[in-house]
Amino acid sequence: MADERLGASFSIDVTNLKAGLAQANRLIKESESEFRAAAAGLDDWTQSEEGLNAKIKSLNATTEIQRAKVSALETEYNRLIADGLDPASREAVELRTKINNETAALKKNEAELKKQTAALEEMENGADEA
């Protein structure tokens, strides 16, 4: 299954950053499509334990990949600056912008993961009380 490949073992080879980022984007799309497939048979995935688990699984995979993307971009930026790239150059500014955009996407997914995890816990607590 894809989730076995996507976990914390995913890393981006910074020697070929562009290809690594493209692969990461493909894996994120795959994870999102797996969630859509799992939730397709559910009327409202937010109201079922199965749906919430599928969403959490997808968000976990996506978050790990995004962390790897941010790390790879930061490593590349630091390498370029250490090699003498002017921080005010177009390339440096574009790379910092990518880092900021990926960091924002990561934080958004982390917040969504926290929200869905809390919803699942609330659902499980409600089931226990019943």
Side-chain angles (χ1 to χ4, degrees):
M1 288 191 85
D3 62 315
E4 294 169 2
R5 292 183 293 119
L6 298 177
S9 65
F10 180 79
S11 65
I12 296 175
D13 181 5
V14 292
T15 58
N16 194 350
L17 183 63
K18 190 172 184 177
L21 293 175
Q23 177 190 19
N25 290 334
R26 286 190 302 272
L27 291 173
I28 288 171
K29 286 180 184 179
E30 179 184 14
S31 176
E32 291 168 351
S33 72
E34 287 175 351
F35 164 71
R36 286 190 302 274
L42 305 171
D43 289 332
D44 182 1
W45 64 265
T46 63
Q47 299 301 312
S48 78
E49 189 173 333
E50 179 184 353
L52 287 170
N53 277 321
K55 184 64 173 179
I56 289 168
K57 182 177 172 183
S58 174
L59 287 168
N60 274 324
T62 299
T63 300
E64 288 303 316
I65 294 167
Q66 286 175 321
R67 281 189 187 115
K69 287 172 66 176
V70 169
S71 177
L73 287 166
E74 288 173 340
T75 299
E76 179 65 3
Y77 177 80
N78 292 333
R79 184 190 66 77
L80 290 172
I81 297 300
D83 287 349
L85 181 68
D86 179 5
S89 71
R90 181 183 58 81
E91 185 178 2
V93 170
E94 286 176 0
L95 199 47
R96 282 195 310 272
T97 300
K98 285 180 185 178
I99 291 168
N100 291 336
N101 290 339
E102 290 299 332
T103 300
L106 172 60
K107 287 181 179 182
K108 181 179 176 183
N109 271 340
E110 287 174 336
E112 180 68 14
L113 178 59
K114 192 175 189 177
K115 176 183 169 186
Q116 298 307 328
T117 301
L120 179 61
E121 288 173 2
E122 185 177 311
M123 182 179 287
E124 288 172 344
N125 289 339
D128 289 344
E129 289 176 10

